[in-house]
Amino acid sequence: MSFEALTREVAAWPDDQVRRFQAFLVTLRHQREQGTLEKLAAKLDDPDPTRWISLEDAEKRLGLADA
């Protein structure tokens, strides 16, 4: 189903069904964001110190360090 067909379909739904669909979409977005956060957290928990960088080096890489 195309996006355009989906929007036409949803536009024809009664308000209560639209609210349920909105709740589903918000839940889906939160689940996907949670997965992204877990992946980022796993990178922070890297047990190999050879891949660690100091806060100063991170600031330099991000262009936040004083020159």
Side-chain angles (χ1 to χ4, degrees), residues 1-2 20 22-23 25 40 44 47 49 52 58 60 62 64-66:
M1 177 180 283
S2 71
R20 288 178 59 204
Q22 288 172 323
L25 292 175
L40 290 172
L44 292 175
W52 298 356
K60 288 177 188 173
L62 294 171
L64 302 174
D66 293 330

Side-chain angles (χ1 to χ4, degrees), residues 48-60:
D48 183 355
T50 64
R51 293 192 292 248
W52 298 356
I53 63 169
S54 69
L55 291 176
E56 292 80 13
D57 287 342
E59 288 176 343
K60 288 177 188 173

